[in-house]
Structure formats: structure tokens, C-alpha cells
Amino acid sequence: MPNQFPSVRPRRLRRNQTLRDMFQETEFSLNDLVLPIFVEEEIDDFVPITSMPGVMRIPESKLAGEIERYARAGIKSVMAFGVSHHLDATGSDSWREDGLVSRMARICKDAAPEMIVMSDTCFCEYTSHGHCGVMHDHGVDNDATLINLGKQAVAAAAAGADFISPSAAMDGQVQAIRSALDAAGFIDTSIMAYSTKFASALYGPFREAGGSALKGDRKSYQMNPMNRREAIRESLLDEQEGADVLMVKPAGAYLDIIRDVREASRLPLAAYQVSGEYAMIKFGAQAGAIDEARVVRETLGSIKRAGADMILTYFAMDLALQGI
Ligand code: PBG
Ligand code: ZN
């Protein structure tokens, strides 16, 4: 006679916290997190970013102290974005030996040599038009931009950056950067490519944070958010070009793509929980609608569960200070 009640009961393993911890499948720790930071030159005070409560632009003069504070809190890695006062048509400050990109890497490595420093490698923070490369009549000139990406990568590597992280979304950018680095002798400098980067509305707050001059959009070089096959293809191209680490960006709305890339490649995979994802959680919590700490753990845990090995998140310092 069939039993009216189940003999199979998944609830047995959920009876108490010890059991729940024992059978938890996914964990994340500070080892997996990268803190993105904004560094502005020629200012004296921190500048709050209103669309990202709790995040501030760091004055370059205070960067060393901040990096020491992050290191003491247990942060293992930062991704540096410059807020430049030296804009021009090509973003040439970004490849000067004494330009902001180089100075940030040098300051970070001097302040905490064990901190892994990633250098966002793009031009939109350094161009007067706010696009991610050199403009020509029909938009951004892919191949002219590749030459400049190589120059910026070499400058950042010479200043001590551990990772070059190209976010310009130019075709062939990983190959161009790898050959420029190798030709200059930086064979051990790694490349973490923004390999699948969508033209997302979730970058909104970042544009305020970085003081972007952009009018229009980046749809001719970043990916259509509705495309899955192309998303996998983009990451695999970067693998072929010599990327050491792949990345999906944004993260939370693209968990399927994280899983797809995880299964298509054996390279380490990063995911970027971007400014808009951060803002939605912060403002939702401020309105009393959600519990911030729990939602942060749930979203980051889900990004790892989907297949990411590392996560770039603006919550990294909060987690470090609260304990994960
Ligand atoms: C620019 C860049 C952007 C981000 C990282 N690098 C913005 C964009 O592509 O428009 C977004 C990061 C975020 O929103 O947190 N190359
Ligand atoms: Zn850019």
C-alpha cells in the first residue's frame, strides 16, 4: 500500500543551522572579491557619489592611506578607475608615464605591495567626448584605439599594475594588449578581459561616479543584452587572444551567461556586480524594503553559484568590515 506521506524528505538536512552550514554548496570570501575604486586627481576632499550611497571618489592625495586601510581590513584586490582633469580627443593622459593611470598603480603598489592591483584599461575617463576610444566619422575607430590600448597597458604595467583589464570593448583588444606587453618585456603581467560586456542601463551610476562626458550610448561596441550565443562567442574570442581571466558584466541579470561561459571555457571567470546593481540594493534598503546585508550575501552567493570564481563588487569593503 503506497504511503500517503513521503519517505524522501529534503527538509531533514535543513533542520538546524549546523546541518544547513554542513550542506551548503557555495561559499564566498574576501579571497574572491575585488573592490572597484574611483580616484580623482587635483582635489583635496572625498566626493560622495549621490547615486551610489556610501561610495566616494578618493582624492589622489589620499589614495595611499585608503589602500592601507583596505589592506588592513582584508581586501586583497582593487580595480582602479581614474577621474581625470586632463581630457583630450584620444585620452592621451592615460598612457603617459606620469599620467593618472600610471600614478594610481604606483601609489597602490607602494602603499600595499601585496594588494593585487587591476588597472581598468579604457579611454572614456580620459576623452573629451566620453567614448571608449578614438573617434572617426562613423563612431569609435577600433584599430586606432587598439594602438592606444597597447600604450596604456604598457604604461600601467611599467607602474606595477598586476592585471590589465581592458573594458573598451574593441575587437582584438586582448591580442593587441598581449603583444604590446610582451614586446615591452611585461610577460608576467596578466590580462583580465571584460570579455562579455553588455551595453547595459545598469552602468548609470558609474557615469556619475566617473564624471563621464558621454552623450549617446556605446551600443556600437558593447553587446546587445538580448544575445546569448554572441555573449559566449565574445568570451571565447578573448580566450583565443590570450586572456588569463574572463569576465561577464553586469552580473546579477546575466547569471545564465555566467553559467554558459563557465561551461564553455576552463579559464578563471570573474563577474562584475556593477554600479546599478549596487544602487538598487542600497536604495531598496534605505527605503526599508529589503535587508541590505542579506541581499548582498544572496546576490554575491548567487553569482558564485552561477559559476563565477571572482566578483568585482562595491560592497567588498562593507563585507570586509562586517565580516563575511
Ligand atoms: C567604461 C566602464 C564602465 C564600467 C566599467 N568600465 C561604464 C560603461 O561602459 O559605460 C561600468 C562599471 C559600473 O557600472 O559599475 N569602460
Ligand atoms: Zn570605456
Side-chain angles (χ1 to χ4, degrees), residues 188-268:
D188 284 330
T189 305
S190 306
I191 300 177
M192 183 169 81
Y194 289 68
S195 55
T196 296
K197 179 169 179 181
F198 293 97
S200 172
L202 291 163
Y203 308 149
F206 178 94
R207 306 261 165 101
E208 180 202 340
S212 169
L214 182 71
K215 295 189 190 66
D217 60 53
R218 308 196 197 285
K219 291 179 188 169
S220 67
Y221 40 106
Q222 299 179 355
M223 272 200 55
N224 181 342
M226 298 298 110
N227 288 0
R228 176 177 174 201
R229 288 193 311 268
E230 187 189 1
I232 303 168
R233 180 167 183 244
E234 280 280 10
S235 270
L236 292 181
L237 277 171
D238 281 13
E239 171 164 14
Q240 284 162 26
E241 289 179 28
D244 298 287
V245 184
L246 302 177
M247 190 205 296
V248 173
K249 172 182 173 207
Y254 297 87
L255 297 179
D256 56 331
I257 307 295
I258 293 174
R259 170 56 50 186
D260 286 336
V261 175
R262 168 73 289 135
E263 285 173 0
S265 170
R266 292 189 172 152
L267 288 186

Side-chain angles (χ1 to χ4, degrees), residues 170-187:
M170 296 299 125
D171 289 337
Q173 62 182 7
V174 171
Q175 184 182 325
I177 287 172
R178 186 72 270 159
S179 28
L181 288 173
D182 290 352
F186 297 108
I187 56 168

Side-chain angles (χ1 to χ4, degrees), residues 13-317:
L13 303 185
R14 297 179 202 145
R15 277 189 299 119
N16 58 47
Q17 192 58 46
T18 310
L19 284 170
R20 291 193 288 274
D21 289 345
M22 187 174 279
F23 293 101
Q24 179 164 321
E25 298 175 30
T26 307
E27 319 256 7
F28 66 91
S29 77
L30 290 179
N31 290 338
D32 313 315
L33 302 184
V34 180
L35 175 68
I37 56 171
F38 301 99
V39 181
E40 183 164 0
E41 59 185 354
E42 301 173 342
I43 59 167
D44 295 322
D45 298 312
F46 286 88
V47 181
I49 300 163
T50 53
S51 57
M52 300 177 74
V55 179
M56 309 239 224
R57 287 190 195 164
I58 303 163
E60 184 184 348
S61 57
K62 299 197 165 131
L63 178 57
E66 281 295 280
I67 293 292
E68 285 165 10
R69 191 169 74 86
Y70 302 152
R72 275 197 304 275
I75 295 289
K76 306 290 172 71
S77 179
V78 294
M79 169 76 81
F81 292 96
V83 182
S84 174
H85 292 194
H86 294 85
L87 310 180
D88 65 17
T90 56
S92 65
D93 182 74
S94 68
W95 65 80
R96 286 170 54 96
E97 247 172 67
D98 58 351
L100 183 54
V101 168
S102 300
R103 298 200 308 273
M104 289 190 297
R106 229 176 270 126
I107 292 169
C108 291
K109 289 307 281 189
D110 284 349
E114 68 289 356
M115 179 78 70
I116 300 302
V117 175
M118 303 192 173
S119 190
D120 181 80
T121 304
C122 196
F123 302 99
C124 49
E125 304 286 293
Y126 301 87
T127 51
S128 38
H129 44 72
H131 275 290
C132 299
V134 181
M135 296 299 280
H136 62 182
D137 297 348
H138 316 290
V140 177
D141 184 331
N142 191 88
D143 296 5
T145 303
L146 292 183
I147 312 268
N148 295 345
L149 280 167
K151 291 192 272 191
Q152 186 185 146
V154 168
D162 299 287
F163 278 81
I164 302 302
S165 295
S167 65
M170 296 299 125
D171 289 337
Q173 62 182 7
V174 171
Q175 184 182 325
I177 287 172
R178 186 72 270 159
S179 28
L181 288 173
D182 290 352
F186 297 108
I187 56 168
D188 284 330
T189 305
S190 306
I191 300 177
M192 183 169 81
Y194 289 68
S195 55
T196 296
K197 179 169 179 181
F198 293 97
S200 172
L202 291 163
Y203 308 149
F206 178 94
R207 306 261 165 101
E208 180 202 340
S212 169
L214 182 71
K215 295 189 190 66
D217 60 53
R218 308 196 197 285
K219 291 179 188 169
S220 67
Y221 40 106
Q222 299 179 355
M223 272 200 55
N224 181 342
M226 298 298 110
N227 288 0
R228 176 177 174 201
R229 288 193 311 268
E230 187 189 1
I232 303 168
R233 180 167 183 244
E234 280 280 10
S235 270
L236 292 181
L237 277 171
D238 281 13
E239 171 164 14
Q240 284 162 26
E241 289 179 28
D244 298 287
V245 184
L246 302 177
M247 190 205 296
V248 173
K249 172 182 173 207
Y254 297 87
L255 297 179
D256 56 331
I257 307 295
I258 293 174
R259 170 56 50 186
D260 286 336
V261 175
R262 168 73 289 135
E263 285 173 0
S265 170
R266 292 189 172 152
L267 288 186
L269 177 61
Y272 197 144
Q273 184 181 53
V274 300
S275 57
E277 300 178 77
Y278 176 87
M280 290 193 294
I281 294 172
K282 277 284 175 188
F283 287 117
Q286 280 182 6
I290 54 172
D291 177 331
E292 178 176 327
R294 290 186 56 203
V295 172
V296 169
R297 287 185 178 81
E298 184 174 328
T299 53
L300 296 179
S302 295
I303 293 164
K304 282 217 79 180
R305 192 197 61 235
D309 302 295
M310 307 158 57
I311 307 173
L312 296 101
T313 175
Y314 300 96
F315 288 112
M317 192 55 184

